[in-house]
Amino acid sequence: MFEADLSSQGEVFPLLLLALGLRFVQTTPRASRLYCRARVEHLLSPEALRTLCDWLLTEPQFTQLLPDVPELRRLQDDFAREYPLAFLASQRLVLAGGQVILDLLITKDAEALSDGLTVAATLETCRVRRLHDQWKPRVAILGSGLAGCNLAAALATRGARVSVFERSSTPHTGASGNRQGALYIKPALAWSRENRLHVLSYLFAHRFYQRHFAETQSTQQPWSHCGVLHLAQNDRELQRIAQLHAQAIYPQRFIRPLARQEAADMAGAQLDCPAAAMPHGGSLEPAKLCQRLLQHHDLRVLTGQHLNESDWDAVVWAGGHPQANDPLSPSALPLRPIRGQISSIRVKANDSTTLNAMPKQVLSGDGYVMPPLQSEADSTWLTFGASYAVNRLDREISEIEMADNSRQLAKTLPELAARLESTQLHREERAAIRCASTDYMPVVGQALREHLGINEQPDSEIAKTLSGDRRLWFMTAFGSKGLALAPLLAEQLACTILGEPTPLEPDLADGCDPRRWARRAALKGYSPSTGGTG
């Protein structure tokens, strides 16, 4: 492990980063990684950054340090693509196919950031993780949904030997098996810890999907970068969007208000309310995403199997809501199930009137409506919903929730809903269970024995051994934001297990830690099993 302290001011920061990155990419094995951490006081606009990088590459005094070679151009393009928005937080940028990783901490006030005039930076630390230095642990991941598949990919790219266990006969059978899902969040008016985690995870997820799936746009890709429109379908939401704009809480590149007609034009559909546009959002096919994450790496996927041995360097429980008969699950933590039922209608490819009435972007209001998804040559699916039923574990199709989904669609797109009802097209319903914590933060970190519902089952001895040896971890409770949270939290947990620099700031990592309830109990004198409610 190599560490160095380096300082630089003004335009020297991107020069130094590009030079370090180029030398590293050209001289080290593919599986090695360079971790850099920089503190930035001002942030250039993306256009100004590209102008500066272009100048650095053409200025004679820098040509020896930065020779014009394909690797440098790719690194420059990666830097421009990954370049973050001006949030007062640390953001992880992944360059050169994961060989160069930059954690960029922005520390100045928002007014200075909005000016975007100069880069005054300190490159604080560089750490090289070489291939021959790496510990290659055997890791078992329990669960093949979004959490498990993202974590498997993050670990495997770092050299871990990963096995994914799925109790069902086929993978991705829970909420991660839904036909479509949206990359979206609902930005809050306060820059709270929960909101900060959601914003940073959402932006990291956007960059992650762009990095892996945006180069080839085809029906085989699980990601569509179409954007999200948050609809102001009631006075409360209209006031919230107005406050976000008036207080300038977020950059315009992140979210901006739209008048009704502008929103309708952007959606390509008839809307009867204003909206807020979030261009980093989009539509995903969760099951296809999980398949692609597992196919890209040398992983073992074991379906219909349980973990029956403790001879692992790390075991990660990455399931949905815990089951009482699973001693490795976090059944003693204050978690709750959330049932969601979505609806999908199949439209023939020659029904141009119906197809033209479908939105081009994800519409998020009282429910959501997804853009059309072409699945076969002669048909397209429209997916909408979803119900939100707390503390329910049943998966049977509900006629009431089906009707509620239809009412939400009619409220958002009345003409399209009327046409779909009149044509009596084929419709499918799917119900799934998500898991959420009582404080709305995910659960990611090391498991202790008191977090488990250990009983006298055979698996209990494995649970006792793993938790006692600090080899058991949790990654769960993403609620309805799995597509936004999973990539960054997988990066966090993979780096934690392998002893590599982690992307989250300490207070965010503490907010996800399974031990947070016990800490609150010690401070305030209540039972951790209640989640702080009594």
Side-chain angles (χ1 to χ4, degrees):
M1 183 77 71
F2 167 77
E3 295 191 23
D5 290 331
L6 299 162
S7 295
S8 131
Q9 296 295 321
E11 60 272 4
V12 181
F13 169 62
L15 167 68
L16 185 57
L17 177 67
L18 291 174
L20 278 172
L22 176 62
R23 181 166 178 78
F24 185 82
V25 169
Q26 290 183 322
T27 60
T28 58
R30 177 69 182 169
S32 297
R33 285 175 305 286
L34 171 67
Y35 285 93
C36 302
R37 182 166 181 83
R39 185 180 301 271
V40 181
E41 295 179 357
H42 296 271
L43 201 63
L44 288 170
S45 68
E47 296 80 11
L49 172 72
R50 185 170 288 279
T51 300
L52 173 59
C53 288
D54 288 341
W55 176 77
L56 290 171
L57 298 185
T58 57
E59 189 67 14
Q61 59 181 311
F62 299 133
T63 53
Q64 185 174 1
L65 186 62
L66 293 175
D68 191 1
V69 293
E71 294 93 338
L72 181 63
R73 290 291 178 179
R74 285 195 291 270
L75 191 63
Q76 179 191 3
D77 291 342
D78 286 352
F79 193 27
R81 182 200 64 225
E82 295 276 314
Y83 200 63
L85 295 178
F87 288 106
L88 300 177
S90 179
Q91 301 184 61
R92 172 157 289 191
L93 315 183
V94 180
L95 315 173
Q99 280 191 275
V100 179
I101 296 176
L102 171 63
D103 289 316
L104 196 61
L105 177 63
I106 305 171
T107 61
K108 202 69 174 178
D109 58 73
E111 183 178 355
L113 287 171
S114 65
D115 294 336
L117 297 176
T118 62
V119 173
T122 302
L123 188 57
E124 296 180 327
T125 307
C126 288
R127 307 178 78 186
V128 177
R129 191 65 184 258
R130 302 185 189 281
L131 178 63
H132 58 79
D133 291 337
Q134 287 188 11
W135 171 49
K136 292 180 176 296
R138 293 176 65 243
V139 181
I141 298 176
L142 312 183
S144 65
L146 288 170
C149 292
N150 274 275
L151 180 60
L155 286 165
T157 57
R158 290 167 165 83
R161 294 167 293 171
V162 181
S163 297
V164 178
F165 288 80
E166 172 56 56
R167 289 191 171 196
S168 303
S169 58
T170 56
H172 335 307
T173 55
S176 301
N178 286 345
R179 189 182 304 280
Q180 267 181 297
L183 172 61
Y184 84 104
I185 60 170
K186 192 172 183 178
L189 290 169
W191 192 234
S192 63
R193 181 165 62 178
E194 177 190 348
N195 185 48
R196 184 154 47 102
L197 177 66
H198 288 171
V199 169
L200 298 178
S201 297
Y202 165 77
L203 292 172
F204 183 88
H206 165 81
R207 297 192 296 269
F208 178 86
Y209 299 137
Q210 286 291 99
R211 223 170 29 242
H212 289 280
F213 307 118
E215 291 185 1
T216 306
Q217 292 294 334
S218 71
T219 56
Q220 299 304 311
Q221 294 289 11
W223 161 244
S224 173
H225 181 204
C226 58
V228 173
L229 287 178
H230 283 289
L231 305 180
Q233 292 184 309
N234 53 62
D235 291 340
R236 181 179 178 182
E237 189 62 20
L238 186 63
Q239 183 180 12
R240 193 184 73 86
I241 292 174
Q243 286 181 291
L244 288 175
H245 179 60
Q247 297 176 21
I249 296 173
Y250 302 98
Q252 288 281 307
R253 293 175 184 271
F254 180 76
I255 185 171
R256 67 184 182 92
L258 303 175
R260 184 197 64 79
Q261 189 56 53
E262 188 179 3
D265 292 343
M266 186 173 288
Q270 293 296 321
L271 300 177
D272 61 358
C273 64
M278 297 190 68
H280 294 84
S283 167
L284 288 119
E285 297 175 68
K288 187 180 291 186
L289 171 63
C290 290
Q291 293 166 9
R292 291 291 299 273
L293 288 170
L294 296 180
Q295 288 172 357
H296 272 66
H297 308 285
D298 186 16
L299 303 169
R300 288 198 312 160
V301 181
L302 307 172
T303 57
Q305 298 192 34
H306 299 250
L307 188 75
N308 54 17
E309 61 178 2
S310 60
D311 188 22
W312 298 88
D313 295 300
V315 174
V316 183
W317 194 91
H321 188 71
Q323 298 179 4
N325 61 351
D326 184 355
L328 292 168
S329 71
S331 55
L333 292 180
L335 307 178
R336 57 187 180 184
I338 300 175
R339 170 194 158 92
Q341 181 172 316
I342 62 171
S343 305
S344 298
I345 294 179
R346 187 169 61 192
V347 179
K348 293 292 185 180
N350 59 3
D351 188 354
S352 58
T353 303
T354 303
L355 293 173
N356 290 336
M358 294 182 183
K360 298 176 183 176
Q361 296 194 337
V362 177
L363 303 182
S364 171
D366 293 339
Y368 64 78
V369 183
M370 305 298 296
L373 174 67
Q374 183 176 348
S375 58
E376 297 95 15
D378 63 339
S379 66
T380 297
W381 290 92
L382 177 74
T383 298
F384 54 97
S387 61
Y388 188 90
V390 180
N391 292 327
R392 280 186 51 191
L393 286 167
D394 58 292
R395 298 172 187 253
E396 290 77 18
I397 298 304
S398 166
E399 294 290 334
I400 295 175
E401 292 175 32
M402 179 177 174
D404 286 342
N405 287 347
S406 296
R407 280 193 291 271
Q408 289 174 358
L409 177 64
K411 181 178 180 180
T412 302
L413 297 170
E415 294 183 8
L416 175 60
R419 178 166 180 82
L420 292 173
E421 185 176 359
S422 65
T423 51
Q424 296 294 309
L425 298 171
H426 175 72
R427 176 167 175 163
E428 293 182 3
E429 301 288 317
R430 189 175 192 273
I433 309 301
R434 297 180 176 90
C435 175
S437 70
T438 54
D439 64 2
Y440 303 102
M441 291 286 282
V443 174
V444 179
Q446 197 165 63
L448 302 180
R449 180 170 177 174
E450 53 263 33
H451 301 154
L452 309 173
I454 293 178
N455 49 37
E456 298 306 317
Q457 297 181 39
D459 290 350
S460 296
E461 290 303 316
I462 297 176
K464 292 175 185 177
T465 301
L466 291 172
S467 60
D469 294 343
R470 300 293 193 266
R471 288 184 285 137
L472 182 61
W473 305 78
F474 294 143
M475 184 173 174
T476 188
F478 292 174
S480 60
K481 296 180 176 63
L483 291 168
L485 292 171
L488 181 58
L489 294 179
E491 182 88 356
Q492 172 73 15
L493 188 52
C495 290
T496 301
I497 291 172
L498 299 178
E500 299 191 1
T502 54
L504 291 185
E505 295 172 68
D507 70 315
L508 292 181
D510 289 344
C512 299
D513 195 315
R515 296 168 292 183
R516 62 188 186 263
W517 287 282
R519 291 171 182 155
R520 293 172 197 162
L523 287 172
K524 299 183 178 181
Y526 53 69
S527 169
S529 65
T530 66
T533 59

